C-alpha cells in the first residue's frame, strides 16, 4: 500500500484516523482500500461530518448563528477517559471512546429533533439542545485534535466564531 497515494486521494487525517482506529499499537493490522472506504464513510462522513454539518446548519438557521448562554444539563461523558487512553498508547480505544460521544450527539439530534422544536416555537428547549450540541462538538474536537489535527483545527475555527455558519462537508462520502 502506498501511503502517499492514500493521503493524496483521501487526506492525511482520514488515513491517520483509519490506521490509528483499526491497527492497535504494537500489533499487526489488516488494510484494504475497501475497509478504508467503509470506515471513512461510516465514521468520518456519516457520523462526524454529518454531525458537525447538522449542528452548524441548525445554529445558523434557528439561532441566527449565535449560541445562547443557557444552563446546560451535566454531560454524561468524560474527556478524561480519552486522555487516559492516549497516555496509555491505546489510540484505537481513545478513538472508540470519542466516537461514543459522537454517536451520543447524533442520538441527541435524532431524539430532540431541533427542527420540530423550532416549528413548534419551543425556543427555550431549542436553545438548550443546540447549545448542548455545540459544547459536545467542541469536546469532540478536543478529543480528536491528536488524531485529526487539520479537521480539529477547521472545526475549532468554525465553532469558536462569534457567529456560526453552515460548515461544508468535512469528509465527502466516497462512492
Amino acid at each position: 500500500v502506498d501511503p502517499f497515494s492514500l493521503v493524496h486521494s483521501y487526506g492525511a487525517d482520514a488515513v491517520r484516523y483509519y490506521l490509528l482506529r483499526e491497527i492497535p499499537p504494537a500489533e499487526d493490522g489488516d488494510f484494504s482500500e475497501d475497509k478504508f472506504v467503509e470506515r471513512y464513510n461510516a465514521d468520518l462522513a456519516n457520523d462526524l461530518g454529518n454531525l458537525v454539518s447538522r449542528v452548524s446548519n441548525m445554529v445558523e438557521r434557528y439561532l441566527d448563528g449565535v449560541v445562547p448562554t443557557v444552563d446546560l444539563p451535566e454531560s454524561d461523558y468524560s474527556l478524561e477517559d480519552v486522555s487516559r487512553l492516549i497516555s496509555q498508547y491505546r489510540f484505537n480505544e481513545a478513538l472508540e471512546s470519542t466516537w461514543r460521544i459522537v454517536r451520543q450527539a447524533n442520538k441527541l439530534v435524532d431524539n430532540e429533533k431541533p427542527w420540530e422544536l423550532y416549528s413548534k416555537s419551543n425556543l427555550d428547549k431549542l436553545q438548550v439542545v443546540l447549545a448542548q450540541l455545540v459544547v459536545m462538538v467542541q469536546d469532540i474536537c478536543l478529543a480528536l485534535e491528536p488524531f485529526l489535527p487539520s479537521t480539529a483545527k477547521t472545526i475549532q475555527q468554525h465553532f469558536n466564531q462569534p457567529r456560526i455558519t453552515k460548515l461544508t462537508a468535512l469528509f465527502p462520502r466516497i462512492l
Side-chain angles (χ1 to χ4, degrees):
V1 176
D2 178 5
F4 295 105
S5 175
L6 285 172
V7 168
H8 178 73
S9 296
Y10 304 110
D13 277 4
V15 173
R16 185 182 298 112
Y17 174 78
Y18 178 86
L19 295 174
L20 290 169
R21 177 76 186 251
E22 291 296 319
I23 304 172
E27 292 184 26
D28 289 337
D30 183 26
F31 177 88
S32 76
E33 198 157 352
D34 287 343
K35 285 183 182 181
F36 174 85
V37 168
E38 185 179 316
R39 176 66 74 183
Y40 175 101
N41 283 335
D43 291 4
L44 299 176
N46 290 350
D47 291 347
L48 178 64
N50 193 37
L51 172 67
V52 172
S53 178
R54 288 169 85 184
V55 171
S56 64
N57 184 39
M58 289 186 293
V59 170
E60 179 185 41
R61 176 181 285 166
Y62 304 139
L63 302 177
D64 204 22
V66 179
V67 180
T69 303
V70 294
D71 290 330
L72 298 176
E74 192 168 322
S75 67
D76 56 352
Y77 62 85
S78 170
L79 294 180
E80 292 174 13
D81 293 339
V82 176
S83 295
R84 179 182 49 76
L85 291 165
I86 290 171
S87 71
Q88 296 170 351
Y89 302 103
R90 294 164 50 191
F91 306 125
N92 57 323
E93 293 177 44
L95 284 166
E96 177 53 37
S97 183
T98 302
W99 245 255
R100 278 193 288 278
I101 303 168
V102 171
R103 287 189 297 272
Q104 185 178 355
N106 277 312
K107 186 176 180 181
L108 180 64
V109 171
D110 294 339
N111 289 345
E112 295 295 340
K113 298 176 178 56
W115 52 92
E116 287 183 6
L117 295 173
Y118 181 77
S119 70
K120 293 177 181 175
S121 297
N122 191 345
L123 299 183
D124 289 340
K125 177 133 187 196
L126 175 68
Q127 289 180 340
V128 170
V129 169
L130 290 180
Q132 186 177 8
L133 286 165
V134 167
V135 168
M136 291 178 85
V137 167
Q138 290 169 331
D139 286 347
I140 290 163
C141 185
L142 288 173
L144 289 177
E145 197 168 17
F147 305 106
L148 294 100
S150 296
T151 302
K153 183 177 180 181
T154 298
I155 296 169
Q156 285 172 344
Q157 289 172 340
H158 193 77
F159 275 77
N160 290 339
Q161 297 296 317
R163 178 157 289 180
I164 295 174
T165 57
K166 184 172 167 68
L167 184 62
T168 57
L170 294 171
F171 296 97
R173 283 188 59 79
I174 300 169
L175 302 176

